[in-house]
Every structure is written in C-alpha cells, then in structure tokens.
Amino acid sequence: MGFFLFFFLSLLSLASSASRDHHKTFIVRVQNDAKPSIFTTHKHWYESSLASVLSPSTPAQVLNVYDTVFHGFSAKLSPTDALNLQTLPHILAVIPEQVRRLHTTRSPQFLGLQTTDSAGLLKESDFGSDLVIGVLDTGIWPERQSFNDRDLGPVPSKWKGQCVTTKDFGPGSCNKKLIGARFFCSGYEASNGKMNETSEFRSPRDTDGHGTHTASIAAGRYVFPASTLGYAKGVAAGMAPKARLAAYKVCWTDGCFDSDILAAFDAAVADGVDVISLSVGGVVVPYHLDAIAIGAFSAADQGVFVSASAGNGGPGGLTVTNVAPWVATIGAGTIDRDFPADVKLGNGKVVPGVSVYNGPGLSPGRMYPLVYGGTGGGDGYSSSLCLEGSLDPVFVKGKIVVCDRGINSRAAKGEVVKKAGGIGMILANGVFDGEGLVADCHVLPATAVGASNGDEIRGYIDSASKSKSPATATILFKGTRLGVRPAPVVASFSARGPNPETPEILKPDVIAPGLNILAAWPDKVGPSGVSSDSRNTEFNILSGTSMACPHVSGLAALLKAAHPEWSPAAIKSALMTSAYTVDNRGETMLDESNGNTSTVLDFGSGHVHPTKAMDPGLVYDITTMDYIDFLCNSNYTINNIRVLTRKNADCSGAKRAGHVGNLNYPSLSAVFQQYGRRNMSTHFIRQVTNVGEPNSIYKVTIRPPSGTVVTVEPEQLVFRRVGQKLNFLVRVQTMAVKLSPGGTSMRAGSIVWSDGKHEVTSPLTVTMQQPI
C-alpha cells in the first residue's frame, strides 16, 4: 500500500502543472535473471522494455544500468510511461527519483588517536593501510597534501576500481592513496540539461569543496603545518591516515540525484571498497523507495560498512534522516576547540560570539555605529535577513549591521553587508537556531551570536535609538581557543530522533565531531563559499553532520583493519556499545541549542570512543536474514522486500522473531500506544557474541527508565570461548501516563553488561503515544 500511495502522489505532483515538462527520472527494479536470451546485454533488454511502453516519438534512453547492489536501470519517463512500465511482468517497481542535499584538526587528538599512541587503534590496524574508503560526494581535489602517497605500499590486490581521466583530471591525479575516482551525472543532466562546464567539471574534480573536505576527514594524511586563515594551527590528519580513498562524484550544482547515487553504490561495491561514506540526505521515505537504503542494504550484505550523516535539521525532533538499520547514522558534536569573536557594545556589555576571519580588522579601541538591518527601510523582513539587494547603502555605510539567520547562507549575508558599504556584521540566531554557533570564514569582520544574545543586541539598539547616544559596537577577534569545557556538546544543527520511519530503531546511532572541523579544501573555491571570495586556502573549517559522518567512516576502516572478521553490524555495534555520554566535566553532554542536558534522541548511544570500540567485549551481530525478518515484521510486502534486498523473502517464519524491536540492534526502543490501557508490557530478545576473552562472565546492570520495571534473564552470561553467542531476554513493564491526544512522552535508561574490564552499554527508551 505504501508504495502505491507514494508512487501516485509523486505522479500527481508531476502532473500538477501542464505548462512544464512532465518527464522525471525513475529508478526501475527488474526481476533478477529474467533477461530473455535474445538480448545480448541487460541494457539492450531494458531499452526494449522501455520502447514497448513509450510513444513512438520518445527515445528509449537508459540513463544507468545497475547490477551489483540493485538489479535494474534508471530512465526519464512521463508519469503515464511510468505507470505503463509498471504493468510489464518483469518489472517489480518504478521508484520516483529524489534529489538529495549535502549535509553541510584537533579531532583525532580529541578522539584519542595520536600517532604516538603505540598501543592504540592506529598501531593495531597499521592505520588501515589495506582498507579502501569510498566517498560519495562532490568529488575531490587530488593535488592536496592530505592525499599524498608517501610511504604507502602497493594498491591492495583486491582493488578493481578505475581512475577516470579527463582534460581536467589527468592520469597523474590518482596515486597509491587516491586509488579510484569516478563521476556520475546521468541523473543530474536528465533533470537539469547538459551541465555548464564553465562552472563545474565533468570529471571527479571537486568544484564545491565538500567532497575534498569529507575525504580528508576520513583518511587524510598527516599534514603540518595546517590552518585556515591562521586559525586552528597544527597537524591535520584524517581518522585512517593510511587507508586508501576512492572518490565517487555524485553531487553537482543542483544537488545529488538518486539515480547517480545508486550508480555510485553499484560501482563502489563492485570496485572493492570496504567502507562507504555518504554525507548527503533527503526526505525520509519507506526503505524500498529510498535509493540510499537500497544501495546500502546490498553493500552491507556484501560486507561493506555504510556510514551516513543524520542531517542538519536539528534541534527539532523527528528530523533525523538516513535511518535504515543497516546504515550507521551519525549526528554531530563539538570538540574542545572554538574561535571566540566577542561583541563589545557601547554600554560596556560583552556578548560572546564565534568567527573565522583574518582580513583587515576593525581599528583597535574604536567603537563603530551599530544598526539592525530590519529597521533600515524596505520591507523590513528581507533587510532583517540581509538578503541580496535588501540593504540601503545610506543606512549601513560604515556601520556594523546585525543580520538575522535564515534564507541565504551565513557568509552570503556578510557579502550583502559588504556590498552595501557596511564595515562589519553580527549574525544573530533565530529562536529555532537556539544558542548553537557555527564559525564561518567571513568576507568582512563578522561574528555569530546565539538567539538570546541576538535579542539583547537588538534590544540595546532599540533603547539607544530612543536616547541621545546612538548604538555602537566593535568585534574582538580572539583567534583559536583550546581546552574548551564542556565538550563534547551535541551540535544545535544535528538532526534528532525519534526515527520517523521505524520508531523502534533508535536514531541517530552515535555522534562524532562535526562542528568547526579543519580539513582539506580545493583551489579556486573561496573558504566562505561566496562566489566573490577569491581567497585560496589549503584547508577550511566547516560544520555539519557531513563532517561527523566521515569521522566514523575512517574509524570503521580502522576497526575493520584490526578485526577483518567483523561484519558491518559488528563494527557498528562496537562503536555504539562503547560510546560515552558524559562530557569533559564528567556530566551528561549538553544540548548546544538550549544549554540543557541532552538525551538519547539527540546523541543515540553517545559519542564515539575509538579505542574502546577496538575492544568492546561483546557485539550485537545482525545477518541479512535478520534484516528481512525485520522488514516482514514492519509490514513490508514480499514484493517490497524483493525490491530492497534482491532476495525472495519468506515472512512466514518472521513472526518467530516477535516484533520489529526484536531486530538484534545494540539499542532498544519500546513504543507503546496507550489506547486507554493502564498497564503495558513488551519484551526484547537479544544475542551477543563474545569478541573479548574466553572464559569470561558478564553481569548485567539495569538502569530502568523512570516509571518502568525492567528485568533481564539471565542476569549473567558465561562465555567459554571467543565467538560464542548467548541470548538474553529483556522485559519492560510500564503504566500509562497522562498525555493529550497526539502527545508523546519518552523516557530513557540503559542495560550494561560488564565483565570487570568491558562495559557493553545499550540505551533503552520507552515511548508512550496517545492516539489522536
């Protein structure tokens, strides 16, 4: 039912305007091994299938052919063509394409990964030198020192990938570090027409910066000295400095198109990558309609770990994306470094802010006239946001201008102020942004302040305008500050749970460093991202779950190098059960958006702890059949499951698994619909595998969510050997709580297994929902 509803809604939206081209790209799932022998290739057969349903005047053009993680093709079709194609007996599904968006150092040291740590994860895995990380992103700038191949051995013999050469990506672009580079633009061009090659490269070369940045976070070499405009000076290094990289360019000026993303998954798995890192996302849809979930399922089935960003829709709830249980979903936290740039007001008050700016500064000791963009005439709304052309030069010339966040990019607001003759900018968060601050490489003296401080500054301007002394201010740039407390803090923008598709699977899984992260940057792209910014820098400081995701991708490569026998699910389990939830003050991590204590809906299992993840003691492993049982219990049809998994599912045995929450996941989430019931209960069955020492005894500690009774049977697990698997049962009992119709209440606790050396922690959440 879900597929047809989504499909017809898509067709209705496509048909809503008769004045524009109704054709759209669709991804078509074909039955495995159904090709008639008269066709020499699958592409020939697919074109014949298309020709049978298209009007004679429409060419049967196949955009991409998929044969590794998916069986089928993509094509540009009208809604009518798509419906007709769906009627062919060998066509299992016709999926509307979605356009995804990018989710846009001291972090190795902050994570405990120093080169001198001879007993740690880097030593244990020889820095991941035989592992390959595939980065699906905006491409790569291969000349960066982060991608040099000094002292690297030969390319791993298993590698089957390509380094696609073009006029701007020559044969010398790849080396023993960057061992593969490809680009996928068929879906992009089918929707947008032929690309403008004066503004972007038809090659793996990066014209955005995002892909170069994420690739170097995952696996950049040690580079010293490294900094951005003099900020964050030190050594730049990725998580797995000796791991090999393969760049798959799937994101272009107008976004990242599903048909191209799926083609990159197909290529990456066939090429032989060990880890796929994907810092893009879109609207959450059922798994069988989600190209990322489809590609990731088959990747995981073939032993490839897939890490994806949770999204930047925080701090609101239900904003997390890339939520499939076979994907590691990564939120963002801060590290113990920031870039203070405080605002000093004419009334003597100093308001904290952050910035990365090193151009001509404001004169020391001088106070400048201060104005709010929204009071400078025009419609007020546009000028309050400092949108292009909204500021009156007479009003802002020579002044520091307060601009509200929203609509256009943070750095673009500074460009608008600069064009209008402003001398500086204070960027004020809105209520929804809260107190979370992101440091940007501004094109003029500028700083960012939180929502409450923005209100205070605007209030000062308003009161000063009613007095005889007009408002004044200056910005005090203080460079780089280390040892910040508290850290980590959950970044304000980091997308939050609960999981909108499967609330019984807690998402995000973990958080990792994602705020103000230093990493490699291409030439010819200014650090602010503003088109007029002509500054060149080898490194840039960016923020987003886009930056958090490749931290975990690199860590996964290190763990796989140290434990080649571990499955993707075992690697994710190790990262989750060893994660921590306390900051460097010894207290539960805070939520940057409001300064309150954060929850499992913000950080999942916690912040990654790589050295503990190397030796987790126990892991929760998951097989492909376990995932199929999960889909059966999630009420996916047999056909939907075939579309997603490429396997013929038998759901008759799935009920033995009990319910959706019985997937052998490292976290536990109980969801109760109250329906007037007073007492409610459920149970979870879990299985753990001993990856620690033989002859070990684990005892359970239960920290039940408030208002619940939680029991675990047995209370002790006795392992005789490494690799042994033992089951346990968790029972949860709770009572109804007072909720308004449509209301929800979530409480959290945990279950911890310990043998005295290892602590294997699983968060346990209980959610009560009152039906409308």
Side-chain angles (χ1 to χ4, degrees):
M1 180 66 188
F3 167 75
F4 288 106
L5 176 62
F6 184 83
F7 183 75
F8 281 112
L9 285 175
S10 300
L11 299 190
L12 285 171
S13 68
L14 286 168
S16 63
S17 171
S19 63
R20 67 174 200 256
D21 180 11
H22 288 177
H23 286 69
K24 172 180 166 62
T25 301
F26 290 82
I27 297 169
V28 183
R29 173 71 166 88
V30 184
Q31 281 187 26
N32 297 7
D33 305 320
K35 179 175 74 67
S37 58
I38 59 169
F39 297 108
T40 54
T41 66
H42 279 90
K43 186 175 183 181
H44 184 200
W45 176 40
Y46 298 154
E47 287 172 342
S48 175
S49 300
L50 282 175
S52 71
V53 299
L54 298 178
S55 61
S57 60
T58 305
Q61 183 185 2
V62 169
L63 299 174
N64 291 297
V65 173
Y66 312 109
D67 56 19
T68 301
V69 299
F70 187 77
H71 198 76
F73 63 96
S74 62
K76 196 172 182 184
L77 304 168
S78 71
T80 304
D81 295 336
L83 282 173
N84 290 337
L85 190 63
Q86 178 79 42
T87 64
L88 298 182
H90 56 283
I91 302 298
L92 294 180
V94 182
I95 303 169
E97 178 170 66
Q98 192 183 149
V99 183
R100 314 282 178 150
R101 302 293 170 193
L102 298 167
H103 285 153
T104 183
T105 92
R106 272 172 52 83
S107 52
Q109 188 175 346
F110 183 70
L111 288 167
L113 291 174
Q114 298 97 335
T115 50
T116 54
D117 180 13
S118 60
L121 190 53
L122 294 180
K123 171 72 162 52
E124 198 74 29
S125 62
D126 188 29
F127 300 70
S129 59
D130 287 329
L131 278 292
V132 184
I133 301 172
V135 181
L136 278 59
D137 212 299
T138 64
I140 197 162
W141 197 269
E143 293 80 10
R144 281 292 164 256
Q145 277 303 301
S146 295
F147 310 126
N148 78 70
D149 65 356
R150 281 192 304 275
D151 304 321
L152 283 179
V155 172
S157 57
K158 65 174 184 178
W159 180 246
K160 304 183 189 71
Q162 304 173 30
C163 187
V164 175
T165 58
T166 67
K167 64 179 184 288
D168 52 65
F169 201 87
S173 298
C174 289
N175 56 20
K176 290 183 290 185
K177 175 65 175 179
L178 178 63
I179 63 173
R182 303 170 73 158
F183 65 98
F184 303 86
C185 59
S186 299
Y188 168 52
E189 292 192 312
S191 294
N192 292 272
K194 193 168 168 58
M195 79 172 66
N196 178 0
E197 294 188 48
T198 62
S199 60
E200 54 186 337
F201 296 117
R202 182 188 291 277
S203 80
R205 188 170 290 281
D206 185 7
T207 50
D208 178 275
H210 190 274
T212 301
H213 202 269
T214 56
S216 69
I217 292 171
R221 304 300 303 274
Y222 289 99
V223 180
F224 178 84
S227 70
T228 297
L229 309 177
Y231 287 80
K233 290 180 180 176
V235 178
M239 295 297 98
K242 284 195 175 179
R244 317 304 172 117
L245 279 167
Y248 299 86
K249 185 175 178 179
V250 297
C251 295
W252 305 86
T253 302
D254 289 314
C256 322
F257 290 74
D258 270 357
S259 56
D260 296 331
I261 292 171
L262 193 57
F265 264 106
D266 213 56
V269 174
D271 289 348
V273 304
D274 299 285
V275 173
I276 288 175
S277 186
L278 185 69
S279 290
V280 307
V283 178
V284 174
V285 295
Y287 303 127
H288 67 291
L289 300 173
D290 183 342
I292 292 175
I294 291 168
F297 186 94
S298 286
D301 185 39
Q302 296 178 60
V304 177
F305 181 93
V306 180
S307 175
S309 47
N312 297 341
L318 286 167
T319 50
V320 65
T321 67
N322 294 323
V323 295
W326 45 87
V327 171
T329 309
I330 315 303
T334 67
I335 61 175
D336 58 347
R337 175 187 70 198
D338 66 8
F339 310 104
D342 299 340
V343 178
K344 183 178 180 182
L345 299 175
N347 61 6
K349 180 82 190 246
V350 176
V351 174
V354 298
S355 179
V356 178
Y357 174 75
N358 81 330
L362 300 173
S363 299
R366 180 179 168 188
M367 301 297 283
Y368 293 83
L370 175 67
V371 295
Y372 174 46
T375 59
D379 66 7
Y381 175 70
S382 297
S383 57
S384 71
L385 294 164
C386 300
L387 302 183
E388 185 69 39
S390 67
L391 296 179
D392 178 0
V394 175
F395 178 64
V396 304
K397 186 173 182 183
K399 299 171 184 172
I400 295 175
V401 182
V402 177
C403 300
D404 294 338
R405 259 179 84 171
I407 309 296
N408 57 342
S409 78
R410 299 181 300 272
K413 295 176 190 293
E415 184 183 39
V416 171
V417 172
K418 187 176 182 180
K419 277 183 184 174
I423 194 83
M425 177 182 70
I426 298 168
L427 182 63
N429 280 0
V431 174
F432 184 75
D433 303 307
E435 304 307 315
L437 299 179
V438 176
D440 294 299
C441 296
H442 291 287
V443 296
L444 84 172
T447 189
V449 300
S452 59
N453 285 325
D455 289 342
E456 181 172 346
I457 293 170
R458 284 186 293 264
Y460 162 65
I461 294 171
D462 185 50
S463 62
S465 70
K466 296 170 185 171
S467 70
K468 292 181 180 178
S469 54
T472 59
T474 190
I475 302 172
L476 309 171
F477 297 97
K478 298 185 173 180
T480 304
R481 181 172 63 177
L482 304 177
V484 172
R485 295 165 69 91
V489 170
V490 180
S492 181
F493 56 76
S494 186
R496 315 300 167 97
N499 182 336
E501 179 62 20
T502 311
E504 295 83 359
I505 301 294
L506 185 64
K507 292 284 182 170
D509 291 308
V510 290
I511 64 170
L515 186 75
N516 301 331
I517 302 300
L518 178 83
W521 195 248
D523 287 340
K524 301 177 183 175
V525 182
S528 69
V530 173
S531 57
S532 64
D533 187 357
S534 59
R535 294 173 293 179
N536 257 341
T537 178
E538 185 163 346
F539 295 90
N540 199 7
I541 292 168
L542 295 185
S543 298
T545 55
S546 276
M547 284 63 251
C549 166
H551 278 90
V552 173
S553 307
L555 295 176
L558 294 178
L559 289 170
K560 187 156 187 172
H563 302 281
E565 74 283 4
W566 282 7
S567 69
I571 293 170
K572 182 163 74 166
S573 172
L575 288 164
M576 290 172 67
T577 62
S578 63
Y580 61 91
T581 59
V582 297
D583 58 27
N584 54 9
R585 307 167 306 161
E587 298 178 25
T588 301
M589 288 186 287
L590 299 181
D591 180 343
E592 187 192 29
S593 70
N594 55 24
N596 295 334
T597 301
S598 56
T599 74
V600 292
L601 296 182
D602 307 323
F603 54 66
S605 291
H607 192 287
V608 290
H609 193 308
T611 47
K612 283 192 175 178
M614 185 179 63
D615 182 20
L618 306 175
V619 294
Y620 294 80
D621 211 351
I622 305 176
T623 67
T624 296
M625 290 312 299
D626 292 334
Y627 287 128
I628 289 174
D629 285 347
F630 159 81
L631 292 167
C632 289
N633 287 325
S634 300
N635 296 320
Y636 281 75
T637 66
I638 297 295
N639 189 68
N640 291 345
I641 295 172
R642 285 177 71 191
V643 169
L644 176 59
T645 67
R646 304 192 308 156
K647 299 182 190 302
N648 294 318
D650 177 4
C651 284
S652 60
K655 298 306 173 187
R656 285 199 303 272
H659 56 85
V660 177
N662 271 351
L663 179 68
N664 198 40
Y665 215 67
S667 55
L668 300 91
S669 172
V671 181
F672 295 105
Q673 302 284 341
Q674 296 200 150
Y675 290 118
R677 292 178 295 169
R678 181 168 172 77
N679 298 306
M680 286 154 283
S681 64
T682 190
H683 71 278
F684 300 95
I685 300 167
R686 289 293 188 268
Q687 181 183 79
V688 284
T689 304
N690 180 23
V691 295
E693 287 81 31
N695 300 312
S696 51
I697 299 173
Y698 284 81
K699 296 180 180 178
V700 72
T701 300
I702 303 168
R703 301 185 180 101
S706 62
T708 67
V709 175
V710 178
T711 58
V712 175
E713 298 173 18
E715 295 180 348
Q716 183 171 287
L717 297 173
V718 180
F719 293 95
R720 299 298 177 208
R721 66 182 192 281
V722 175
Q724 185 179 354
K725 300 175 186 291
L726 291 176
N727 294 346
F728 64 92
L729 175 71
V730 180
R731 286 195 174 89
V732 179
Q733 297 171 285
T734 189
M735 296 179 67
V737 295
K738 192 172 178 60
L739 292 171
S740 56
T744 297
S745 164
M746 191 282 294
R747 293 161 289 166
S750 64
I751 292 170
V752 183
W753 290 100
S754 178
D755 65 347
K757 176 184 177 184
H758 308 93
E759 286 205 343
V760 186
T761 303
S762 292
L764 168 62
T765 64
V766 174
T767 302
M768 315 296 287
Q769 297 178 342
Q770 184 67 36
I772 296 174

